[in-house]
Amino acid sequence: MPSDTPISRAGRAVDAAPGWWRWLPGLVMLKEYQAAWLPKDIAAGLVLTTMLVPVGIAYAEASGVPGVYGLYATIIPLLVYAVFGPSRILVLGPDSSLAAPILAIVAPIAAGDPSRAIAVASMMAVVSGLFCIVLGLLRLGFITELLSKPIRYGYMNGIALTVLISQLPKLFGVSIDSQGPLRDLLNLGKAIAAGQTNWYSFAVGAVSLLIILSLKRFKGLPSILIAVVVATLCVTVFNLDRVGVKVLGTIPHGLPTFAIPWASGADLLQILIGGCAVALISFADTSVLSRTFAARFHSRVDPNQEMVGLGATNLVAGFFQGFPISSSSSRTPVAEAAGARTQLTGVVGALAVAVLLLAAPNLMRYLPNSALAAVVIAAAFGLFEFADLKRIYRIQQWEFWLSLACFAGVAVFGAIPGIGLAVVIAIVEFLWDGWRPHYAVLGRVEGLRGYHDIKRYPHAAQIPGLLLFRWDAPLFFANAELFQDRLLEAVEQSPTPVTRVVVAAEPVTSVDVTSADMLRDLSRILRERGIALHFAEMKDPVRDKLKRFELTDVIGDQSFHPTLGSAIDDYLREP
């Protein structure tokens, strides 16, 4: 029985909204908003702000754009998602999981030009937004589920390593040209060996990282805020900027403005690929997080609606000097723990950041880059997944090695090619399962109902002249020839001459044109040998397809049986 809490009732109101209103769940939710929620949403929004500012700046720097744009990419998405987002407390904004793929596109195209960097990043946000909106409207929100868990672990571990390596030069206070994760690590080692490290910068960053990691277990403490405040005070009090510690510098006064992003001469194909890649990553993360928190509130989130909400958020962010964003697995729990009830929490957080930009932007002037690097490195640690990989290795080793292949692809080739490799591996994995499925010749086992695989039950009795063949997969172009080969092999290996083959077709959920043509040829080959081809337990939609493919006339209606038992009875009745 569904829960009847106020929030669950509000969620059902969104589901029942007519027409286009269902794509504006934030506005529908206002009709169900209760005054008692307001103090909690405001308080949670102010608590959330203590994370939004340092994290937004840090992830912007990690993505290759100036820190202030991380605040712009915090304000706008929170406001937009409050209107289009179906999840009640999900917090969106710059995210560590997107830093590596954004940087991989921005860095080579921008070539150190900050204005060009944000133009490229904003173009990626627009592409990402349009991609998500189109997929959502076409109801393709399931697409990210095509990546198996081991493959997701692999590319996220690779992204975590890439993000971590990208921040090490800032932590050590050295500058290197990015050439890919492993080369960057090698060049960093050479720079440290050559004595280029700024140890003041390293000390500030290391202490900041230690504070964040040490205070993480205390849920009520804003560990990131404490770390950046301590680091900023150290730089200010001891004038560390005068000894080479790089700082954030002056932040422009004011709010993000509307601008059509364009970088002349940029590789549009690279931006297009990068935008689609970050869209897949962000939606995969958002979908999982959204479902998790929806379950806690006994509500339901439509994945297609979530994809449209995420797309609208990225699209608008791209036109207001933002860059691709995602849901946050660190800020959302903070909002929940602080008592957030609805997306008004995000609105309050966005307004608080806006006030900071208008009233006191110079508060963050002496925030050291090495402390921002520490924030990103701490987040990267949270992206790694090792514990479940141990379980996967124990129960299914080949999927473990697939995960490692995805990890290696991202680590060696970089984020975007690595994600492309992950998608290719996922497709190959999917096709392999269907390409080489299990099949069985069936026999009767004494004392056991039904018909069973004679390989598992060697003493199973087969009916003379009858071959019962089961194929445990859809029939499609990749396995059609294999189906024919295995069935003909089974005919040859039968202990008695076969006069009829019955395919136990219940596991066959679909057929395509290639497999239908194969069945036509198989029927002819068997008929020439004096063998009849029959089917049992075929699902009606599959049989409808065979009729559409003009196979029913070839095989004959009398060759289809509702059950395996009726097919056997029909054979035994023949003289």
Side-chain angles (χ1 to χ4, degrees):
M1 184 176 178
S3 172
D4 197 35
T5 64
I7 290 184
S8 65
R9 287 198 299 272
R12 289 197 293 274
V14 171
D15 291 338
W20 282 97
W21 281 103
R22 69 181 300 269
W23 300 108
L24 303 170
L27 300 182
V28 176
M29 178 66 74
L30 287 178
K31 299 178 182 179
E32 303 290 331
Y33 196 86
Q34 298 186 8
W37 296 347
L38 184 60
K40 294 180 180 180
D41 279 339
I42 292 175
L46 295 176
V47 171
L48 182 63
T49 305
T50 63
M51 281 195 72
L52 294 178
V53 174
V55 165
I57 294 172
Y59 294 165
E61 295 279 346
S63 300
V65 300
V68 68
Y69 295 105
L71 301 183
Y72 295 167
T74 297
I75 296 171
I76 299 301
L78 287 174
L79 296 176
V80 175
Y81 189 79
V83 175
F84 292 97
S87 176
R88 291 305 84 219
I89 64 168
L90 207 62
V91 177
L92 269 67
D95 191 64
S96 57
S97 66
L98 301 184
I102 296 173
L103 181 64
I105 300 298
V106 168
I109 297 178
D113 182 349
S115 60
R116 189 171 174 81
I118 189 57
V120 173
S122 295
M123 290 171 70
M124 288 180 67
V126 171
V127 170
S128 175
L130 290 173
F131 185 72
C132 284
I133 290 172
V134 170
L135 291 185
L137 292 177
L138 293 177
R139 300 192 174 280
L140 297 175
F142 64 87
I143 193 168
T144 55
E145 297 173 10
L146 299 179
L147 297 179
S148 67
K149 183 180 288 187
I151 288 177
R152 289 203 305 269
Y153 285 162
Y155 79 69
M156 286 308 298
N157 283 342
I159 284 176
L161 181 65
T162 303
V163 170
L164 195 154
I165 291 174
S166 73
Q167 296 306 298
L168 290 179
K170 295 179 182 178
L171 188 68
F172 284 90
V174 301
S175 296
I176 61 170
D177 293 327
S178 180
Q179 298 177 320
L182 298 185
R183 288 185 181 180
D184 287 355
L185 193 60
L186 180 62
N187 292 336
L188 175 64
K190 291 179 180 178
I192 294 173
Q196 297 178 20
T197 302
N198 185 310
W199 293 108
Y200 293 105
S201 179
F202 177 77
V204 170
V207 169
S208 299
L209 183 59
L210 185 62
I211 290 173
I212 294 170
L213 297 179
S214 299
L215 298 182
K216 210 168 189 178
R217 54 183 175 174
F218 301 105
K219 300 297 183 183
L221 288 177
S223 58
I224 294 176
L225 180 65
I226 293 172
V228 298
V229 167
V230 169
T232 303
L233 289 175
C234 287
V235 171
T236 305
V237 172
F238 299 108
N239 296 318
L240 296 181
D241 57 316
R242 297 181 183 177
V243 291
V245 175
K246 295 180 180 178
V247 296
L248 185 62
T250 303
I251 289 181
H253 181 276
L255 299 176
T257 56
F258 177 83
I260 297 176
W262 184 254
S264 58
D267 188 337
L268 297 182
L269 180 60
Q270 283 287 90
I271 293 173
L272 181 66
I273 293 172
C276 292
V278 297
L280 291 176
I281 296 172
S282 61
F283 181 66
D285 291 347
T286 300
S287 178
V288 171
L289 199 61
S290 179
R291 289 198 301 266
T292 299
F293 282 94
R296 293 185 188 179
F297 286 101
H298 306 288
S299 59
R300 176 187 164 276
V301 172
D302 180 352
N304 299 303
Q305 196 174 34
E306 188 68 81
M307 188 167 257
V308 170
L310 179 65
T313 302
N314 271 287
L315 180 63
V316 178
F319 286 111
F320 281 87
Q321 301 171 283
F323 52 90
I325 55 89
S326 179
S327 62
S328 170
S329 58
S330 59
R331 280 157 281 171
T332 302
V334 168
E336 183 198 29
R341 309 302 290 173
T342 70
Q343 280 297 329
L344 186 59
T345 293
V347 173
V348 172
L351 294 177
V353 175
V355 169
L356 178 66
L357 282 173
L358 290 172
N362 286 329
L363 276 179
M364 297 166 285
R365 180 178 181 180
Y366 292 103
L367 177 55
N369 288 352
S370 58
L372 293 174
V375 172
V376 179
I377 289 172
F381 286 154
L383 293 176
F384 284 108
E385 176 57 62
F386 297 119
D388 205 33
L389 280 178
K390 293 179 182 178
R391 179 184 66 88
I392 292 171
Y393 179 79
R394 189 176 68 252
I395 63 177
Q396 184 93 304
Q397 288 193 14
W398 68 270
E399 288 203 84
F400 170 83
W401 293 115
L402 281 184
S403 184
L404 282 193
C406 290
F407 167 77
V410 176
V412 173
F413 301 113
I416 300 299
I419 293 166
L421 178 63
V423 172
V424 170
I425 289 176
I427 294 172
V428 171
E429 179 187 15
F430 173 76
L431 290 177
W432 181 264
D433 285 341
W435 184 31
R436 291 291 184 267
H438 179 264
Y439 66 94
V441 174
L442 306 179
R444 190 67 180 265
V445 180
E446 187 176 351
L448 194 62
R449 295 183 63 183
Y451 293 83
H452 304 277
D453 187 350
I454 62 173
K455 289 182 180 178
R456 286 182 173 269
Y457 299 93
H459 301 297
Q462 293 180 254
I463 300 171
L466 179 65
L467 177 71
L468 303 177
F469 184 84
R470 191 184 71 213
W471 184 257
D472 295 334
L475 270 173
F476 66 115
F477 64 91
N479 65 23
E481 185 176 348
L482 183 69
F483 174 89
Q484 177 172 292
D485 291 344
R486 294 296 179 263
L487 189 145
L488 292 176
E489 284 176 10
V491 169
E492 296 294 335
Q493 295 169 4
S494 175
T496 60
V498 176
T499 59
R500 180 180 293 189
V501 172
V502 174
V503 178
E506 185 179 19
V508 180
T509 56
S510 182
V511 294
D512 65 0
V513 171
T514 303
S515 58
D517 289 345
M518 176 276 297
L519 289 175
R520 182 179 285 106
D521 290 341
L522 178 62
S523 177
R524 176 185 55 78
I525 292 170
L526 291 175
R527 190 166 53 250
E528 290 173 354
R529 298 184 185 183
I531 302 171
L533 177 62
H534 287 234
F535 294 89
E537 301 179 344
M538 179 173 282
K539 300 178 188 302
D540 288 340
V542 179
R543 190 170 174 182
D544 291 343
K545 274 192 171 184
L546 293 185
K547 188 177 294 185
R548 192 164 70 248
F549 293 153
E550 301 173 351
L551 266 176
T552 305
D553 295 338
V554 174
I555 297 173
D557 280 329
Q558 73 281 358
S559 298
F560 293 88
H561 307 275
T563 66
L564 195 57
S566 64
I568 294 169
D569 290 341
D570 180 73
Y571 172 76
L572 294 176
R573 279 196 299 268
E574 284 195 355

